[in-house]
Amino acid sequence: MEKDLVDKIRLDKSGSFEELVKFYQEQVLNTCFRFVDNKEDAEDLAQDVFVEVYNSIDSFRGDVKLSSWIYRIAVNKSLDFVRKKKRKKRFAFVLSFAGFGDEEKELQLPAPANPHTDLEQKERTQILNKAIDLLPENQKIAITLSKYESFSNKEIAEIMETSVSAVDSLIHRAKNNLQKKLHIFYEKHL
Amino acid sequence: MTRKEEIEKEVQKTLESFNQAERLKSNPFFYTQLKNRIDNLSRPKRKTTGWEFAWGVLKSVLLLLIIALNIFSATLFFKTRSSNYSNREQMLNALAEELTLDSNQYNPNLLINE
């Protein structure tokens, strides 16, 4: 089915391309959103992804699934965006301590208003996202695609251009690191 | 419940947020906006006319000419000044002569005595 779609797009870009966009747009949008954490930025990035798909569909060799190829573009574009944003921030606060040893960075969030009451779900998600943001890039990609977007480890391996065992290990390490970071956070704020 | 258990419970609850994450719905005009963008990108860019190109070149040449003239006149000015007056004293004497001043005329004590 995918091969037919690619062939159709190569022959007649307009009609079949619309079909492709409508099929993948939501998943691409959400994949971008997981990394940039902002709806407007995610929409812009999703558009960039499909512009690139449109321009380079002729160079798609078909050695991976079309979906993996599209999500790979989405992940790369999102990470580039995040890197640029961080660079801008670092430049603005050039004298701050930003950028020291990502691995050991501690999760810092404002303490909950009332530590004795249950944290709101939204706040929990925010804490989790901040903790994911502190993970090394590969672990961050693997855990985000696996847990938020429910991609299989095989699909993640295709997107990340690595082996399935490497993805298993990345997810395992990401989970451990997340637990550690969250423990430290709650020890301080509970 | 001990503090350790409480922390563990919070960590687990936070990790469960993976399953409750908000999912975005795509904008109904997504494809229309995308199509416009692609059409704009693939539209051939308007070629610059010969006059526009010539004016662009002329502007750059004029700018370079002004810079070169400035450098030339500055070099000439400093060169003339340093060759005419080898030291500060010579220059002051020359200025005094030009303004017909002698040592009495700029001695303020003489004015007071008078």
Side-chain angles (χ1 to χ4, degrees):
Chain A
M1 181 253 170
E2 273 191 351
K3 200 183 171 304
D4 291 346
L5 187 62
V6 174
D7 289 342
K8 268 203 284 181
I9 295 169
R10 278 175 181 157
L11 285 171
D12 159 42
K13 280 194 168 174
S14 53
S16 318
F17 184 65
E18 184 174 356
E19 199 182 316
L20 176 139
V21 172
K22 291 203 165 143
F23 190 75
Y24 290 110
Q25 66 183 44
E26 206 154 300
Q27 181 78 61
V28 167
L29 176 71
N30 278 285
T31 303
C32 295
F33 179 61
R34 298 301 164 214
F35 291 98
V36 299
D37 206 20
N38 176 294
K39 194 184 170 192
E40 285 73 34
D41 291 339
E43 275 182 356
D44 285 346
L45 279 168
Q47 295 244 336
D48 288 348
V49 170
F50 287 109
V51 170
E52 188 163 335
V53 168
Y54 184 86
N55 287 333
S56 45
I57 193 85
D58 292 331
S59 64
F60 174 66
R61 297 185 306 273
D63 48 357
V64 290
K65 277 165 71 182
L66 177 67
S67 55
S68 304
W69 181 67
I70 294 173
Y71 298 133
R72 188 188 297 164
I73 296 173
V75 170
N76 289 338
K77 286 219 177 280
S78 306
L79 291 175
D80 281 347
F81 178 87
V82 172
R83 277 186 215 120
K84 270 185 201 160
K85 211 172 162 186
K86 276 187 183 168
R87 226 176 291 150
K88 272 186 195 166
K89 266 189 193 172
R90 223 173 283 163
F91 184 69
F93 300 101
V94 73
L95 295 177
S96 75
F97 297 106
F100 282 125
D102 277 352
E103 196 86 36
E104 292 307 317
K105 260 188 197 168
E106 196 181 298
L107 180 58
Q108 284 174 342
L109 274 175
N114 181 358
H116 299 293
T117 58
D118 252 10
L119 292 167
E120 293 290 329
Q121 185 51 45
K122 207 173 174 184
E123 199 178 16
R124 279 186 204 289
T125 311
Q126 201 191 353
I127 292 168
L128 183 62
N129 285 343
K130 292 271 179 191
I132 292 172
D133 210 34
L134 297 179
L135 294 174
E137 200 167 78
N138 275 354
Q139 292 180 26
K140 182 177 161 181
I141 301 169
I143 195 102
T144 303
L145 295 178
S146 164
K147 293 287 179 185
Y148 275 134
E149 295 306 311
S150 310
F151 283 108
S152 70
N153 288 9
K154 190 172 173 283
E155 281 173 308
I156 298 171
E158 278 192 355
I159 294 169
M160 293 179 73
E161 294 179 277
T162 186
S163 65
V164 178
S165 58
V167 173
D168 289 338
S169 151
L170 282 172
I171 293 173
H172 180 73
R173 275 184 285 152
K175 275 184 195 166
N176 285 344
N177 279 336
L178 274 181
Q179 276 189 332
K180 251 190 253 173
K181 286 180 197 299
L182 290 173
H183 263 282
I184 294 170
F185 175 75
Y186 284 116
E187 268 166 19
K188 281 192 177 172
H189 294 106
L190 210 66
Chain B
M1 195 189 290
T2 65
R3 183 171 155 74
K4 206 179 166 187
E5 284 169 337
E6 209 177 326
I7 289 170
E8 189 55 45
K9 194 182 139 198
E10 287 301 332
V11 170
Q12 287 315 314
K13 269 191 188 174
T14 306
L15 286 172
E16 278 162 22
S17 303
F18 274 125
N19 310 322
Q20 287 146 29
E22 156 198 25
R23 278 197 78 77
L24 296 183
K25 287 265 166 231
S26 54
N27 174 353
F29 305 108
F30 186 87
Y31 183 73
T32 318
Q33 289 166 347
L34 177 69
K35 189 79 181 63
N36 284 337
R37 227 174 120 178
I38 290 172
D39 288 345
N40 283 336
L41 286 174
S42 54
R43 192 173 297 148
K45 283 180 187 164
R46 191 177 67 90
K47 278 188 180 172
T48 49
T49 62
W51 282 112
E52 282 171 330
F53 179 74
W55 174 236
V57 173
L58 193 67
K59 274 199 286 189
S60 318
V61 170
L62 274 173
L63 184 72
L64 282 173
L65 199 69
I66 290 167
I67 294 170
L69 267 172
N70 267 303
I71 295 171
F72 177 71
S73 41
T75 323
L76 205 68
F77 171 75
F78 287 114
K79 211 174 163 185
T80 324
R81 207 175 71 162
S82 61
S83 63
N84 282 349
Y85 312 110
S86 54
N87 57 42
R88 187 177 159 78
E89 203 179 328
Q90 267 183 328
M91 191 182 82
L92 286 173
N93 286 338
L95 270 173
E97 265 175 39
E98 186 106 339
L99 300 167
T100 60
L101 291 173
D102 57 38
S103 54
N104 293 341
Q105 278 174 292
Y106 57 79
N107 187 346
N109 293 329
L110 283 175
L111 291 172
I112 293 165
N113 291 341
E114 277 172 9

